[in-house]
C-alpha cells in the first residue's frame, strides 16, 4: 500500500516561492485581489520590487537619518505597536517625551527656573512643528488685535525666499500672507535688514532659518533680533521671531556654542527642530519648543478623557507611533553632549574633505559656507556645453543620488548640486564621490554638447544678428527653461513605455 501522496496544485506549502504560480501571475495594482496569497509569496514579491529603490545611505539629497545603532533598532521594533496618544496606557513613553522636550529646551537655552518644566511637544517632523508654532503666533496676534479693537483678518509672516515648502503650506492652509525676502546671486539667505523693512502691524512673526535647505547657511538671527527690537520700539509693535532650526538645531549647540540664535535672544519665542535630521533618529520625529507658557495660547490646547485620564493635546494629527520618541531619548542619553559634538565634528570634517576635492578639479564654484549645516553646494564654472542636471543624472550610474536644482527668486538663474553629509557618510565615501564626479566630468568632456549647448550656440548666433544682445542671465534662464522642457518630455516618453 502506498501511503505517500502527491502534493496538489493548491498545496503551495511544499513549493519554494519562485516555484509557485504567484511569481508568474500579475498582481492587482489598484484594486484589492479576490483571493489571499501565502505570506512568503507576499513578502518576496514586495521585497523584490523594493530592490529597485535607491540605497538610502547613498541618497545625498536627504537630511534625514539613514542609520542607527542595532540596540536602538531593537527598541524601535519593540515599541512599534504602541500608540503614543494613549498616554494613560503608556505613561513611561509619555514621560520619555517630556524628558526630551526639557533636554532640548535646555539645549536651546530656554529661560527656565529651578524645577520649571519646559513647554513643547513632539511632532511627526518639522512641518507639523512649524504649523503649530505658526498657529500660536497667529492666535496671539489675533487676540491682541481684537482686544485693541483693530482688524485681525489680514495676518502676514515674513521669511526669506529660501524657506522650505512647509512655510508655504502653513501660509496657504491657514490663510496667512507669506511675504518673502528675495535672494540675490552670492547671497542665498534672508537679509535681516530687508526682512525688518517688510514687517508691518499685521506681521505675526519673522521666521529665520538656522540652516538653509539650499546651501546650509545659518541666517543672522542675532542681527535680526537687534533690528526688530529697534523697530518694535519705534512703532510700539511687539513682532516676535520664530527660528526654523530643522537642520541646524542639533548642530549649532555643539559646533558653534557661542553663536546666539536661540532663546538667549529675547524676541525668539519658539523654535522647531527635526529629530530625524541631525537629531540622529529615523524619519518621523520633530520638536517645537516655546519660550514660556505665555507664548502658547491656552485655547489651542485640547483636553480629552476618553482614553482614560485627562490628557492635554496640541497636535495636528491624533494617533502616531511611539518608536521615534523612544529612539530620540535613546540618542540623547546614549551620545550625550560629547557624542553629539563628535558626530557633528566628523560631519563637518568630511564636508571639508569633499569641498577641497571638488575645488581641486578646478571645475566648480562652491556655493555653501564652511560654517553651518555640513553640506557642500556647488555649481559648474562653465555650464555652456554640459550642466549640473547632466552630472546629477550620470552620478546615478555609480549609485549616488545627488540633486541638482535652481535657486529661488531672484537667483533662479543659478543652478547647484548639493551633497548633504550625514553621520554615516565617511571620509572614504567622500573621496570616492570626488573620484566618481571626476569620471563623470571626463566622460561629459568626450560627449557632444546636448540641448543646453545647442541653445547657447543658437542664442549666440541670434545675438550676432541682433542689435540688442541678451544678458548672460537672460541667456541662462532660457537655457534652464529649455532644459527643463527637454527633461520633462523625456520623462513623459519613458512613462509611455509599458
Amino acid at each position: 500500500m502506498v501511503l505517500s501522496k502527491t502534493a496538489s496544485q493548491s498545496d503551495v506549502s511544499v513549493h519554494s516561492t519562485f516555484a509557485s504560480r504567484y511569481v508568474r501571475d500579475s498582481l492587482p495594482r489598484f484594486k484589492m485581489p479576490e483571493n489571499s496569497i501565502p505570506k512568503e509569496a507576499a513578502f518576496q514579491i514586495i521585497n523584490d520590487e523594493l530592490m529597485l529603490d535607491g540605497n538610502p545611505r547613498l541618497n545625498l539629497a536627504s537630511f534625514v537619518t539613514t542609520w542607527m545603532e542595532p540596540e536602538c533598532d531593537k527598541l524601535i521594533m519593540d515599541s512599534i505597536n504602541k500608540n503614543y496618544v494613549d498616554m494613560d496606557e503608556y505613561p513611561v513613553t509619555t514621560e520619555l517625551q517630556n524628558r526630551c522636550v526639557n533636554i532640548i529646551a535646555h539645549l536651546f537655552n530656554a529661560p527656565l527656573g529651578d524645577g520649571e518644566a519646559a513647554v513643547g511637544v513632539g511632532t511627526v517632523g518639522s512641518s507639523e512643528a512649524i504649523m503649530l508654532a505658526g498657529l500660536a503666533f497667529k492666535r496671539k496676534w489675533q487676540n491682541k488685535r481684537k482686544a485693541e479693537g483693530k482688524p485681525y483678518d489680514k495676518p502676514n509672516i515674513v521669511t526669506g525666499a529660501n524657506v522650505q515648502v512647509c512655510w508655504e503650506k502653513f501660509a496657504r492652509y491657514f490663510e496667512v500672507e507669506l511675504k518673502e525676502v528675495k535672494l540675490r546671486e552670492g547671497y542665498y539667505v534672508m537679509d535681516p535688514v530687508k526682512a525688518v523693512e517688510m514687517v508691518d502691524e499685521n506681521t505675526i512673526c519673522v521666521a529665520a532659518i538656522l540652516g538653509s535647505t539650499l546651501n546650509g547657511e545659518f541666517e543672522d538671527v542675532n542681527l535680526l533680533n537687534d533690528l526688530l527690537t529697534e523697530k518694535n520700539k519705534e512703532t510700539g509693535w511687539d513682532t516676535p521671531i520664530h527660528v526654523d532650526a530643522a537642520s541646524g538645531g542639533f548642530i549649532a549647540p555643539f559646533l558653534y556654542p557661542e553663536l546666539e540664535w536661540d532663546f538667549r535672544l529675547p524676541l525668539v519665542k519658539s523654535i522647531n527642530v527635526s529629530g530625524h535630521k541631525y537629531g540622529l533618529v529615523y524619519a518621523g520625529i520633530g520638536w517645537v519648543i516655546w519660550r514660556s507658557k505665555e507664548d502658547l495660547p491656552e485655547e489651542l490646547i485640547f483636553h480629552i478623557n476618553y482614553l482614560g485620564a485627562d490628557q492635554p493635546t496640541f497636535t495636528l494629527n491624533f494617533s502616531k507611533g511611539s518608536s521615534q520618541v523612544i529612539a530620540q531619548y535613546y540618542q540623547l542619553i546614549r551620545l550625550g553632549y560629547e557624542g553629539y559634538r563628535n558626530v557633528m565634528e566628523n560631519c563637518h570634517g568630511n564636508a571639508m574633505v569633499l569641498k577641497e576635492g571638488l575645488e581641486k578639479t578646478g571645475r566648480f564654484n562652491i556655493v555653501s559656507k564652511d560654517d553651518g549645516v555640513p553640506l557642500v553646494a556647488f555649481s559648474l564654472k562653465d555650464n555652456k556645453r554640459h550642466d549640473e542636471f547632466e552630472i546629477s543624472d550620470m552620478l546615478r550610474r555609480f549609485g549616488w543620488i545627488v540633486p541638482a536644482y535652481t535657486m529661488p527668486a531672484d537667483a533662479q538663474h543659478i543652478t547647484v548640486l548639493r551633497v548633504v553629509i550625514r553621520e554615516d557618510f565617511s571620509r572614504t565615501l567622500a573621496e570616492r564621490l570626488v573620484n566618481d564626479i571626476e569620471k563623470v566630468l571626463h566622460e561629459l568632456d568626450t560627449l557632444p554638447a546636448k540641448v543646453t549647448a545647442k541653445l547657447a550656440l543658437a542664442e549666440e548666433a541670434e545675438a550676432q544678428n541682433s542689435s540688442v544682445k541678451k544678458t548672460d542671465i537672460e541667456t541662462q534662464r532660457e537655457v534652464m527653461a529649455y532644459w527643463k522642457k527637454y527633461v520633462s518630455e523625456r520623462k513623459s516618453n519613458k512613462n509611455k513605455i509599458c
Side-chain angles (χ1 to χ4, degrees):
M1 174 186 279
V2 179
L3 298 178
S4 62
K5 68 175 183 177
T6 301
S8 67
Q9 187 177 1
S10 62
D11 186 9
V12 297
S13 62
V14 298
H15 298 308
S16 77
T17 299
F18 291 115
S20 71
R21 63 182 175 84
Y22 300 104
V23 297
R24 186 172 66 247
D25 296 342
S26 177
L27 292 180
R29 295 188 178 187
F30 306 112
K31 292 184 179 180
M32 184 178 291
E34 291 295 329
N35 301 315
S36 303
I37 64 174
K39 59 182 183 293
E40 297 85 358
F43 170 82
Q44 191 68 58
I45 292 168
I46 296 172
N47 186 67
D48 289 352
E49 198 164 2
L50 287 172
M51 290 192 302
L52 299 173
D53 271 346
N55 184 336
R57 290 188 58 186
L58 297 182
N59 179 8
L60 307 182
S62 178
F63 293 82
V64 175
T65 296
T66 53
W67 179 87
M68 297 187 74
E69 293 177 322
E71 291 78 7
C72 194
D73 288 345
K74 187 176 187 306
L75 283 174
I76 289 172
M77 294 309 299
D78 288 347
S79 58
I80 203 165
N81 59 349
K82 289 184 180 180
N83 186 0
Y84 168 75
V85 78
D86 293 337
M87 299 179 185
D88 195 49
E89 286 75 9
Y90 307 120
V92 175
T93 300
T94 302
E95 171 63 20
L96 296 187
Q97 190 238 209
N98 294 338
R99 292 179 191 176
C100 288
V101 166
N102 281 274
I103 290 172
I104 296 170
H106 281 97
L107 194 65
F108 294 167
N109 295 291
L112 300 173
D114 293 338
E116 183 181 359
V119 181
V121 66
T123 62
V124 294
S126 275
S127 291
E128 184 188 8
I130 284 168
M131 303 286 175
L132 298 179
L135 284 171
F137 282 119
K138 182 180 178 182
R139 185 56 59 90
K140 280 205 69 175
W141 175 83
Q142 287 177 325
N143 289 345
K144 182 181 179 182
R145 298 283 290 183
K146 289 178 183 178
E148 295 173 346
K150 297 178 180 178
Y152 55 89
D153 59 334
K154 294 182 179 180
N156 69 66
I157 187 168
V158 177
T159 71
N162 57 312
V163 292
Q164 213 259 3
V165 69
C166 59
W167 285 99
E168 297 178 45
K169 290 182 179 179
F170 166 74
R172 187 177 302 177
Y173 296 166
F174 297 104
E175 298 181 321
V176 176
E177 179 190 0
L178 186 65
K179 300 172 71 173
E180 293 185 332
V181 179
K182 303 300 181 185
L183 310 184
R184 62 180 185 271
E185 186 171 351
Y187 197 90
Y188 303 115
V189 292
M190 180 180 70
D191 184 337
V193 175
K194 293 182 178 180
V196 172
E197 289 175 355
M198 297 175 72
V199 170
D200 59 31
E201 63 179 349
N202 293 320
T203 302
I204 63 174
C205 79
V206 180
I209 312 298
L210 195 77
S212 172
T213 300
L214 302 177
N215 68 345
E217 188 175 350
F218 291 170
E219 293 181 345
D220 194 339
V221 188
N222 199 338
L223 177 58
L224 176 64
N225 180 84
D226 292 343
L227 295 173
L228 197 53
T229 298
E230 288 300 316
K231 184 156 190 172
N232 284 342
K233 288 180 180 178
E234 294 171 1
T235 60
W237 304 332
D238 56 356
T239 307
I241 295 172
H242 174 85
V243 179
D244 179 357
S247 298
F250 278 110
I251 296 172
F254 306 107
L255 290 185
Y256 316 105
E258 302 305 317
L259 180 66
E260 293 188 350
W261 61 273
D262 52 19
F263 290 121
R264 286 171 287 184
L265 303 176
L267 290 184
V268 175
K269 302 300 182 182
S270 56
I271 302 172
N272 68 276
V273 65
S274 291
H276 60 220
K277 292 182 179 176
Y278 289 94
L280 307 180
V281 179
Y282 292 138
I285 185 68
W287 304 93
V288 57
I289 311 294
W290 282 273
R291 184 182 192 89
S292 66
K293 292 181 179 179
E294 289 71 30
D295 297 306
L296 176 57
E298 179 65 31
E299 63 263 35
L300 293 179
I301 302 173
F302 290 84
H303 293 265
I304 61 171
N305 61 10
Y306 47 77
L307 291 177
D310 177 71
Q311 298 175 7
T313 175
F314 180 38
T315 56
L316 293 183
N317 66 310
F318 193 64
S319 295
K320 71 174 181 179
S322 298
S323 298
Q324 267 65 17
V325 171
I326 294 169
Q328 183 72 84
Y329 185 65
Y330 170 90
Q331 292 289 52
L332 292 173
I333 66 168
R334 160 77 175 97
L335 295 174
Y337 192 95
E338 175 190 24
Y340 269 96
R341 185 182 64 243
N342 290 341
V343 169
M344 302 311 155
E345 286 177 348
N346 286 346
C347 290
H348 181 267
N350 290 330
M352 293 303 99
V353 169
L354 178 60
K355 174 197 168 187
E356 292 164 6
L358 293 171
E359 287 177 328
K360 287 179 181 178
T361 67
R363 304 285 291 273
F364 296 105
N365 291 315
I366 304 300
V367 177
S368 52
K369 306 293 185 182
D370 289 352
D371 296 335
V373 177
L375 62 79
V376 183
F378 52 103
S379 61
L380 282 167
K381 291 181 178 179
D382 182 2
N383 60 4
K384 291 180 180 178
R385 285 179 52 83
H386 298 285
D387 61 23
E388 292 82 359
F389 290 97
E390 292 174 77
I391 293 176
S392 175
D393 189 48
M394 293 184 71
L395 280 173
R396 284 181 175 266
R397 298 189 315 188
F398 296 91
W400 303 107
I401 302 174
V402 178
Y405 53 89
T406 55
M407 289 292 192
D410 285 329
Q412 60 265 47
H413 59 286
I414 303 297
T415 308
V416 299
L417 294 149
R418 187 194 66 204
V419 174
V420 178
I421 309 300
R422 298 190 301 271
E423 175 187 15
D424 53 353
F425 189 83
S426 65
R427 175 168 183 155
T428 300
L429 288 177
E431 292 171 346
R432 181 62 179 266
L433 177 58
V434 172
N435 290 336
D436 290 342
I437 290 175
E438 289 177 333
K439 292 176 184 178
V440 167
L441 291 173
H442 177 73
E443 184 173 351
L444 285 174
D445 288 340
T446 65
L447 296 176
K450 291 193 175 182
V451 291
T452 52
K454 293 177 182 178
L455 180 60
L457 291 173
E459 290 292 338
E460 185 177 346
E462 181 183 343
Q464 292 175 352
N465 298 325
S466 174
S467 58
V468 180
K469 186 176 180 179
K470 294 183 178 180
T471 65
D472 289 341
I473 291 178
E474 289 174 332
T475 301
Q476 181 66 12
R477 286 175 178 171
E478 290 193 14
V479 168
M480 292 307 308
Y482 196 96
W483 172 254
K484 288 179 180 179
K485 180 181 178 182
Y486 169 78
V487 172
S488 177
E489 289 175 350
R490 189 173 65 171
K491 288 182 178 180
S492 177
N493 290 334
K494 283 184 178 180
N495 291 335
K496 293 176 182 178
I497 300 174
C498 298

